[in-house]
Amino acid sequence: MTSESSAVPTPAAAAKRGERLTGAQAVLRSLEALGVEDVFGLPGGAVLPLYDTIMDADRVRHILVRHEQGGGHAAEGYASASGKVGVCIATSGPGATNLVTAIADAYMDSVPLLAITGQVFSHLMGSDAFQEADIVGITMPITKHSFLVKRPEDVPGAIAAAYHLASTGRPGPVLVDITKDAQEGEFDFVWDPRVDLAGYRPITKANSKQIQAAAELIASAQRPVFYVGGGVVRAGASEELLQLAELVGAPVVTTLMARGAFPDSHPQHLGMPGMHGTVPAVLALQESDLLITLGARFDDRVTGKAALFAPDAKVIHADIDPAEIGKIRAADVPIVGDAADVISDLIAAVSTAKLSRECADLAPWWERLHLLQERFPLGYQPTSDGHLSPQHVIQRIGELTGPEGVFAAGVGQHQMWAAQFIKYERPNAWLNSGGAGTMGYAVPAAMGAKVAEPERVVWAIDGDGCFQMTNQELATCVVNDIPIKVAIINNSSLGMVRQWQTLIYDGRYSNTELNTGHGSRRVPDFVKLGDAYGCLAIRVEREDQVDDAIKLALETNDRPVVIDFVVSADAMVWPMVRQGTSNSDIQYALEHAPEWEEE
C-alpha cells in the first residue's frame, strides 16, 4: 500500500515560529501547513473554540454536514477519489460516537482519514460530564492510533503525527481528541513537521531474496493468477501492475476493493472474484497452481471456506502490513513492502528470470479460461413483473457516463451490480464500503468525492434502504453547490437480505419490505423528497425512459439530481457462492445450478 517520507510536506508560508496562538488556532494552522484544503464537520459545545477559529480560515474550506456519520463518509470519499487524507471534525459525546461507523469503515478499507474531535474540559474527564465519551478508548480497536491532547502546545505535534500515520504504511484512520481547555489555552506556536514515532517504521522496500523467490515461482507456474486487492489502488500502483501482468501473461482478477486497478477492457482481466464474482475469476483462483497476491487479504467474501480455497496453489503474498501475511492463508513467499515498489522489483526480477530460463507455457491455461468465459458470461435475465431490470439501469449509467466518472455505491445488491456491470478502466473510480459493508455510505461518499474531484461526474448508486440512512446530506450538497447524481435502485426492499431469504429461508420475508417503490403507497416518495431538498428529482418506471433520465442527469450540473429507478424486487445477484461453502460450488443462477453441480 501507500507510503510517504517521514517528513510531512510544509508550505513555506505556514512555517511560522513563536507566534502566540490558542490550541484551536493551532489546529487550523497545522492543517494549513499540511496542505489540507477541505474538511467536513458539525459543531458542538466541546469543539466551539475550533469552530470560532474556522470562521477566519483562508485556505481551509469547511463543509457543514447534517450528520457526523455523513461527515466521516464524505471524508472517506474525498480520500478514496483523490488519494489525499480526508479530514472530518465532530464534537464530544454523541458527535464523536456518530463518527465511529465511518472510522470503522475507513479502518477496514485502509482509507487515510484524520478525525478531529472535541472533548470536555480535562478536569471534568472521568466525571461523566455532559457529552463526555471516552472516544479514544472507543476507537482504539478501529484506528491506527488515537491521540488525546490535553495541552495546547501538544496540538501541532499530534496533528502532524496523525496525518503521517494516516497516510503512510497501510493507510487508515487516526483520531485526535482535544479537550476544550487545550483548544482555549495559548502557547507559542512552533511548526516542526518532523515525525518520529517510536516503533512505527513501515517497511516499503521488499527483501530482494523474497522478490527473487517470487520471480522463480512465477516463471515456473503453469496456472498462475494475479489476485489483486485494494492495496494496489491505495499504493497508486496500477501502471506497474499493468506492466507486470503483460510481462507474465497470466490472468488478473480484481477484488471488490480493487475494481479499476486493472482495466476491465484488458484481455487478461477475468473480472471480480468472490461470493458474487464472475465464474471465470472464481474458478481461475480455485484451479490455479500459483496465486500472485498483491495488496489483498484473503477476505472470506473472496475465499469462501478458506480451507477449500485454491487447494493446489502456492502463494506469493505481498502486502505492506505484515500482520496480513499468513493471517488466513500461509504464504510460500511472503513479501512485506509497498505495492508499487514490490511490483517494480518483480518486473525486473521476472524479466531476468525469463531471459535465463524457459518459462511455463500458459496456452493450455488460457484455453481453459477462455472456455469458462464463453460458457459463463456475466449477464442477467429480463424481469417478469413489469418493473425495470436493475442490472440494465446500472449498466447504462456506466456506459453513458464513461470511464472518467466516479461511482460510489451503497451496500447490498446494487453494490454488487455496480461492481459487475460498470466497466472500470482506472483506479479511484469505484468507491464502496467493502470490509464493513456500511449502509448509507454512497451519498456522503459521493459528496466527498465531488469536492475532491469537482471536474468529474460523480454518481451515488444507492438502494432504497441505504438512501434512507444518509440522504440528509443532499441538503449539504445543495447548500454547498456539490452537484452529485444519485441513482436509487428502488426494489422497495432490503434486497440482499431478501435474496438470502429467498434462497435459504424458503421465501419467508421477515422485515425486508420497505414500501418505497411498488404499489400505490410510497413511504417516502423519493421524488417529493428530492424536490424538498432542492434537487432535480425524476422517477423512472419504464425501460424507454432510462437513457433519457440518465442523459438529463448528466446535463444537469447546477444542483444534485435524484433518480428513483423502480426496479424488480425479484432480481438477484448472480453468480453466487453461499457463505461457508467452497468456491467450487459457485452457482451461475438457480436454473443453472443443477447442471453446474453435476460437473
Side-chain angles (χ1 to χ4, degrees):
M1 293 182 180
T2 191
S3 63
E4 297 179 4
S5 64
S6 59
V8 180
T10 312
K16 295 183 179 180
R17 295 180 176 273
E19 187 178 0
R20 195 74 177 169
L21 298 178
T22 65
Q25 291 170 324
V27 172
L28 188 62
R29 184 65 58 82
S30 298
L31 293 176
E32 290 174 344
L34 291 164
V36 173
E37 297 176 338
D38 303 282
V39 301
F40 303 87
L42 189 70
V47 79
L48 274 178
L50 175 56
Y51 270 87
D52 185 67
T53 299
I54 286 173
M55 278 201 75
D56 301 322
D58 292 326
R59 297 195 296 276
V60 175
R61 175 191 183 191
H62 179 275
I63 295 173
L64 174 63
V65 297
R66 297 319 190 250
H67 191 284
E68 291 90 353
Q69 181 183 346
H73 290 321
E76 282 191 277
Y78 184 97
S80 296
S82 67
K84 301 176 183 178
V85 175
V87 182
C88 53
I89 302 173
T91 191
S92 64
T97 58
N98 280 344
L99 275 182
V100 168
T101 296
I103 292 171
D105 194 277
Y107 187 73
M108 289 288 280
D109 288 347
S110 304
V111 179
L113 183 73
L114 171 56
I116 300 170
T117 54
Q119 184 55 272
V120 301
F121 286 97
S122 57
H123 70 274
L124 293 177
M125 292 183 67
S127 69
D128 294 329
F130 177 68
Q131 291 193 334
E132 180 187 0
D134 179 11
I135 196 62
V136 169
I138 290 169
T139 59
M140 196 170 292
I142 54 170
T143 55
K144 287 187 72 174
H145 193 71
S146 294
F147 294 89
L148 174 60
V149 179
K150 295 183 177 181
R151 303 189 311 162
E153 57 265 35
D154 294 334
V155 166
I159 297 293
Y163 187 96
H164 176 70
L165 279 167
S167 58
T168 59
R170 179 178 182 168
V174 182
L175 179 129
V176 180
D177 192 36
I178 310 172
T179 63
K180 194 167 184 179
D181 47 316
Q183 295 174 57
E184 292 178 340
E186 293 186 348
F187 73 111
D188 292 327
F189 178 80
V190 176
W191 177 249
D192 183 356
R194 292 172 298 178
V195 174
D196 186 14
L197 299 170
Y200 183 69
R201 298 289 184 275
I203 298 170
T204 58
K205 192 68 175 174
N207 183 289
S208 60
K209 290 183 179 179
Q210 299 302 91
I211 292 291
Q212 186 58 41
E216 293 296 325
L217 278 183
I218 291 170
S220 61
Q222 296 180 325
R223 301 186 306 280
V225 178
F226 283 96
Y227 165 23
V228 178
V232 172
V233 176
R234 299 288 183 243
S238 294
E239 291 184 10
E240 292 86 347
L241 172 64
L242 178 62
Q243 187 177 347
L244 177 62
E246 290 182 339
L247 175 65
V248 175
V252 178
V253 303
T254 52
T255 68
L256 180 67
M257 292 305 301
R259 302 292 289 115
F262 191 82
D264 277 359
S265 61
H266 197 284
Q268 286 174 240
H269 192 242
L270 299 182
M272 181 178 72
M275 177 176 280
H276 295 295
T278 67
V279 172
V282 170
L283 292 186
L285 291 174
Q286 204 65 3
E287 298 175 13
S288 66
D289 65 358
L290 178 66
L291 300 180
I292 309 167
T293 310
L294 304 171
R297 58 186 181 88
F298 292 87
D299 178 73
D300 63 282
R301 284 303 193 260
V302 170
T303 65
K305 190 172 183 178
L308 302 177
F309 177 65
D312 300 323
K314 293 185 177 180
V315 175
I316 299 166
H317 191 179
D319 201 287
I320 199 163
D321 185 355
E324 289 295 347
I325 298 176
K327 186 177 78 174
I328 306 296
R329 175 70 175 262
D332 297 274
V333 180
I335 303 174
V336 179
D338 175 82
D341 289 341
V342 168
I343 296 172
S344 296
D345 290 345
L346 283 173
I347 291 169
V350 171
S351 298
T352 301
K354 288 171 74 77
L355 291 174
S356 61
R357 59 172 294 174
E358 183 176 348
C359 296
D361 181 11
L362 300 187
W365 181 220
W366 274 110
E367 287 179 14
R368 165 64 175 160
L369 298 175
H370 287 321
L371 179 64
L372 290 173
Q373 287 178 310
E374 181 180 343
R375 185 170 184 192
F376 299 103
L378 188 63
Y380 55 90
Q381 296 175 322
T383 62
S384 58
D385 59 4
H387 294 298
L388 297 172
S389 164
Q391 300 96 326
H392 172 73
V393 169
I394 291 170
Q395 185 172 358
R396 291 304 292 156
I397 289 172
E399 289 170 347
L400 292 172
T401 302
E404 294 304 313
V406 176
F407 305 89
V411 169
Q413 287 180 313
H414 63 280
Q415 174 191 26
M416 294 299 108
W417 289 320
Q420 291 174 332
F421 290 100
I422 294 176
K423 299 304 179 185
Y424 299 98
E425 299 295 315
R426 63 177 189 87
N428 303 317
W430 164 244
L431 316 180
N432 83 124
S433 173
T438 304
M439 293 179 68
Y441 171 90
V443 169
M447 177 176 72
K450 185 66 175 178
V451 172
E453 303 280 298
E455 300 307 313
R456 294 192 187 276
V457 174
V458 180
W459 282 92
I461 298 176
D462 223 353
D464 47 308
C466 288
F467 180 68
Q468 293 184 81
M469 295 191 174
T470 52
N471 63 48
Q472 70 276 353
E473 299 310 331
L474 288 174
T476 309
C477 291
V478 169
V479 170
N480 291 280
D481 298 319
I482 306 170
I484 64 171
K485 330 290 183 187
V486 181
I488 306 171
I489 309 303
N490 184 0
N491 58 10
S492 196
S493 66
L494 298 172
M496 188 62 84
V497 182
R498 188 179 191 276
Q499 175 167 332
W500 283 47
Q501 288 172 336
T502 300
L503 297 175
I504 302 170
Y505 293 92
D506 300 320
R508 290 167 55 84
Y509 300 120
S510 174
N511 291 280
T512 47
E513 170 60 49
L514 294 179
N515 297 296
T516 53
H518 301 167
S520 58
R521 288 206 327 162
R522 303 179 189 274
V523 185
D525 184 319
F526 291 135
V527 172
K528 291 181 180 178
L529 184 67
D531 285 339
Y533 276 124
C535 305
L536 171 63
I538 312 165
R539 178 169 294 118
V540 176
E541 298 181 277
R542 301 197 319 267
E543 190 169 313
D544 61 1
Q545 300 172 325
V546 170
D547 279 19
D548 287 343
I550 296 169
K551 289 175 183 176
L552 178 59
L554 293 173
E555 294 165 0
T556 303
N557 293 299
D558 61 341
R559 52 183 164 157
V561 180
V562 175
I563 309 179
D564 180 15
F565 290 103
V566 182
V567 304
S568 173
D570 295 327
M572 291 197 188
V573 182
W574 297 110
M576 178 177 175
V577 178
R578 294 195 183 194
Q579 189 173 17
T581 65
S582 167
N583 279 359
S584 298
D585 297 328
I586 186 171
Q587 292 182 341
Y588 186 58
L590 276 179
E591 62 274 15
H592 292 86
E595 176 188 358
W596 184 247
E597 288 171 356
E598 288 174 5
E599 297 182 359

